[in-house]
Amino acid sequence: MREVVILVNERDVELGTMEKMETHLRGKLHRAISVFIFNSNGEMLLQRRALEKYHTAGLWSNSACSHPRINEKPIDSAERRVFEEMGLNVKLKFIFKFLYKAKLDNNLIENELDHVFIGTSDEKPNINANEVCDYKYISEYDLNLLIEKECESFTPWFKECYKKVFKMFNDHNIIKSKILI
């Protein structure tokens, strides 16, 4: 089945749809979602993208990411993808949007308005091997050290927003305040 993405402008107004690969070849701005899951120790769940992915294969990234389907709300897309990729049923909360553009491998261009969601879970992931080849929970301190040492091992969108996600997680004391439950 041909996958399409939702084209948007900088204000997130829908402009139409385009086939996913063509969108990435042409660098058209489109809607995306990124999910960040934390455990009760305040560690972030990272996934290593499957080695067969069409771009950024084998790189470390956030817990799940994708593009909403036509007529699918970003929150519904985020909850669907965290289950499809990591096997986790998690209630998520929207925290912010951001724009980013990056040249990728295979002459592809990511140009996304990314909706970012956060959730908590202590469940062990049941990864989908078509999407994910590894995962780990990591503290903010250890993640900063790892990115400093191995920056090229992480997806560009992840590096753009993970510090803001940790800041919001810590500032709002999400686990203790139970705002996600």
Side-chain angles (χ1 to χ4, degrees), residues 1-14:
M1 188 171 122
R2 190 175 92 111
E3 287 187 67
V4 298
V5 296
I6 301 166
L7 301 177
V8 295
N9 66 18
E10 293 82 9
R11 294 177 310 284
D12 204 19
V13 174
E14 292 184 20

Side-chain angles (χ1 to χ4, degrees), residues 101-146:
K101 189 172 186 178
K103 290 186 179 184
L104 305 176
D105 46 1
N106 301 331
N107 296 315
L108 300 178
I109 301 167
E110 279 284 32
N111 188 9
E112 295 186 335
L113 178 62
D114 203 345
H115 294 237
V116 180
F117 298 88
I118 193 169
T120 59
S121 178
D122 283 325
E123 289 182 49
K124 182 180 178 197
N126 180 19
I127 62 172
N128 175 346
N130 293 321
E131 301 287 340
V132 179
C133 67
D134 198 4
Y135 74 92
K136 63 180 161 188
Y137 283 94
I138 192 165
S139 71
E140 183 176 13
Y141 177 81
D142 289 339
L143 179 56
N144 285 328
L145 289 177
L146 189 59

Side-chain angles (χ1 to χ4, degrees), residues 32-166:
I33 56 100
S34 287
V35 178
F36 291 81
I37 303 298
F38 289 85
N39 65 18
S40 58
N41 295 322
E43 298 168 316
M44 183 184 284
L45 174 62
L46 301 184
Q47 68 156 270
R48 185 168 174 232
R49 292 170 57 85
L51 300 177
E52 299 79 26
K53 296 294 279 186
Y54 71 101
H55 71 68
T56 57
L59 297 185
W60 288 97
S61 197
N62 44 292
S63 309
C65 55
S66 190
H67 307 97
R69 295 175 177 158
I70 297 170
N71 298 320
E72 183 179 41
K73 294 178 184 173
I75 184 75
D76 295 334
S77 174
E79 289 178 351
R80 173 179 55 82
R81 286 306 291 174
V82 78
F83 180 76
E84 290 173 354
E85 294 181 31
M86 304 301 284
L88 298 174
N89 280 309
V90 181
K91 279 300 204 191
L92 300 174
K93 176 178 176 56
F94 171 78
I95 55 174
F96 64 89
K97 297 179 199 179
F98 75 104
L99 288 164
Y100 83 94
K101 189 172 186 178
K103 290 186 179 184
L104 305 176
D105 46 1
N106 301 331
N107 296 315
L108 300 178
I109 301 167
E110 279 284 32
N111 188 9
E112 295 186 335
L113 178 62
D114 203 345
H115 294 237
V116 180
F117 298 88
I118 193 169
T120 59
S121 178
D122 283 325
E123 289 182 49
K124 182 180 178 197
N126 180 19
I127 62 172
N128 175 346
N130 293 321
E131 301 287 340
V132 179
C133 67
D134 198 4
Y135 74 92
K136 63 180 161 188
Y137 283 94
I138 192 165
S139 71
E140 183 176 13
Y141 177 81
D142 289 339
L143 179 56
N144 285 328
L145 289 177
L146 189 59
I147 288 178
E148 191 175 300
K149 185 176 162 186
E150 300 178 24
C151 185
E152 69 286 345
S153 298
F154 291 85
T155 60
W157 62 89
F158 178 80
K159 292 183 287 189
E160 289 267 337
C161 71
Y162 85 94
K163 286 183 181 182
K164 184 173 182 178
V165 172
F166 261 117

Side-chain angles (χ1 to χ4, degrees), residues 161-173:
C161 71
Y162 85 94
K163 286 183 181 182
K164 184 173 182 178
V165 172
F166 261 117
K167 180 171 179 13
M168 292 184 80
F169 178 80
N170 293 326
D171 286 354
H172 296 290
N173 206 2

